[in-house]
Amino acid sequence: MAHTDHRTMRRVLRREIAGTIGVLTDDHDFRTMRRYRSFTFDDHETYLRQLETVLRARAAQGTHTTLALFDPEDYAAYCADTGLDPEAPASRTRFTAELAATGPTIPYDGRPLAALLPTLVDEAVRQATWEYTTTLLTRLGPCPTCGEDIGRAAFTRASDLLAGILDTAPPGDRHLVCTVSGPPDTLVSVLHGDQEPHGATRLDEAEALEFTSVLALGLATRSPGGLVIRTSAAGTADRVYGWRLRSGALEPLTAAEVFDAYCTDAETGDLIPPERGVDYREPPDLGDASTAPDHRH
């Protein structure tokens, strides 16, 4: 009887152990991992099917699983830094445990991997963008004329601008896109905001942090770019308006400029037929927050 009770308790405990599985999301990363003899999979599609079977079995047992993005290059660097043998499966397990604590992860919720993996990749891009912009903002240092920390001040200003944009937006769900042109890279950040029944806008905290940091970098470095918001509500036309990011300030775009931007292919320059039921308009006044500070960094 006691033996049965012990087995039951262990089974219960196994169900309560949360696990993390590192996923090779694309064929390139999969081929890179095949250089290790201990990695025995031959085909990426087969690997994903087997992984999905394991995930479903764990979910059926009531076990929570987190998916992490497994990057072979990061894994090789991790093994070199820690002195671990990259051929050992235990090394991959330790690396995955590190990912669970510091890397991009999403919970497995029963959806097919084909639907979940793009979300995981988006999360990885969002985290990388936030880390990149934060590093650049930190490197800006203090203003030579007033001593103010440029990056911190820009982040505060970007936060105020985002709050003002959301506060002045018409009712509905919000979709914002901020673009900041390099050098060295062009950064694009997307923020979704769903309006709750009592009127507040629900934002994903990680998305909002990344969006604010990208906007802050554009403001602080006076890089060219833009910010566009689209609101959608039942029974009304979608409303689209935006600003040009120039010289550390947000300049309102005219309705015609927004229309032209939405009706031009960004890659080819070809005209795109305008969407039906979309109202292109000028943005509301954001006050002093939209103007650049007097001092030059």
Side-chain angles (χ1 to χ4, degrees), residues 193-232:
D194 296 328
Q195 190 168 47
E196 298 178 334
H198 54 78
T201 301
R202 185 175 67 254
L203 301 175
D204 179 273
E205 185 175 346
E207 272 191 11
L209 191 61
E210 181 222 10
F211 189 92
T212 306
S213 66
V214 169
L215 177 57
L217 185 64
L219 296 172
T221 59
R222 298 176 176 266
S223 300
L227 193 159
V228 175
I229 179 172
R230 179 171 184 156
T231 61
S232 304

Side-chain angles (χ1 to χ4, degrees), residues 275-290:
E275 292 184 66
R276 298 181 62 183
V278 176
D279 179 15
Y280 303 96
R281 56 173 55 195
E282 294 186 10
D285 184 13
L286 298 178
D288 294 339
S290 63

Side-chain angles (χ1 to χ4, degrees), residues 9-29:
M9 285 187 289
R10 286 196 294 269
R11 187 162 57 247
V12 170
L13 286 172
R14 279 197 294 270
R15 285 201 302 264
E16 296 187 9
I17 296 175
T20 301
I21 295 178
V23 186
L24 298 162
T25 59
D26 61 53
D27 194 57
H28 176 268
D29 287 348

Side-chain angles (χ1 to χ4, degrees), residues 146-190:
C146 69
E148 185 177 41
D149 186 285
I150 299 173
R152 185 177 297 114
F155 191 88
T156 299
R157 186 165 158 243
S159 299
D160 292 341
L161 281 169
L162 177 57
I165 291 170
L166 294 174
D167 288 344
T168 56
D173 295 338
R174 287 82 185 267
H175 179 85
L176 297 87
V177 179
C178 180
T179 303
V180 174
S181 300
D185 301 302
T186 295
L187 300 175
V188 179
S189 182
V190 177

Side-chain angles (χ1 to χ4, degrees), residues 3-240:
H3 180 64
T4 302
D5 289 343
H6 289 163
R7 283 193 303 179
T8 300
M9 285 187 289
R10 286 196 294 269
R11 187 162 57 247
V12 170
L13 286 172
R14 279 197 294 270
R15 285 201 302 264
E16 296 187 9
I17 296 175
T20 301
I21 295 178
V23 186
L24 298 162
T25 59
D26 61 53
D27 194 57
H28 176 268
D29 287 348
F30 180 85
R31 290 196 304 270
T32 302
M33 284 302 294
R34 291 198 64 206
R35 66 189 176 192
Y36 301 116
R37 294 187 305 274
S38 59
F39 186 77
T40 57
F41 292 94
D42 296 321
D43 176 78
H44 189 224
E45 290 186 8
T46 302
Y47 158 81
L48 291 177
R49 283 198 301 269
Q50 294 297 322
L51 174 59
E52 192 150 23
T53 299
V54 171
L55 291 169
R56 288 174 178 169
R58 287 174 59 85
Q61 296 167 359
T63 303
H64 175 80
T65 309
T66 297
L67 304 180
L69 187 70
F70 194 104
D71 186 307
E73 300 304 325
D74 288 346
Y75 172 65
Y78 173 80
C79 289
D81 291 341
T82 58
L84 294 174
D85 178 10
E87 280 284 0
S91 299
R92 292 196 285 274
T93 301
R94 283 188 57 178
F95 176 67
T96 302
E98 291 280 341
L99 290 179
T102 61
T105 61
I106 60 171
Y108 175 70
D109 57 10
R111 285 182 291 163
L113 281 181
L116 283 173
L117 293 187
T119 303
L120 179 58
V121 173
D122 287 346
E123 183 64 27
V125 171
R126 182 160 50 246
Q127 180 169 324
T129 301
W130 175 77
E131 292 174 351
Y132 175 70
T133 53
T134 299
T135 299
L136 293 182
L137 286 169
T138 302
R139 289 177 179 173
L140 293 175
C143 171
T145 56
C146 69
E148 185 177 41
D149 186 285
I150 299 173
R152 185 177 297 114
F155 191 88
T156 299
R157 186 165 158 243
S159 299
D160 292 341
L161 281 169
L162 177 57
I165 291 170
L166 294 174
D167 288 344
T168 56
D173 295 338
R174 287 82 185 267
H175 179 85
L176 297 87
V177 179
C178 180
T179 303
V180 174
S181 300
D185 301 302
T186 295
L187 300 175
V188 179
S189 182
V190 177
L191 178 62
H192 303 275
D194 296 328
Q195 190 168 47
E196 298 178 334
H198 54 78
T201 301
R202 185 175 67 254
L203 301 175
D204 179 273
E205 185 175 346
E207 272 191 11
L209 191 61
E210 181 222 10
F211 189 92
T212 306
S213 66
V214 169
L215 177 57
L217 185 64
L219 296 172
T221 59
R222 298 176 176 266
S223 300
L227 193 159
V228 175
I229 179 172
R230 179 171 184 156
T231 61
S232 304
T236 64
D238 284 10
R239 298 179 183 180
V240 179

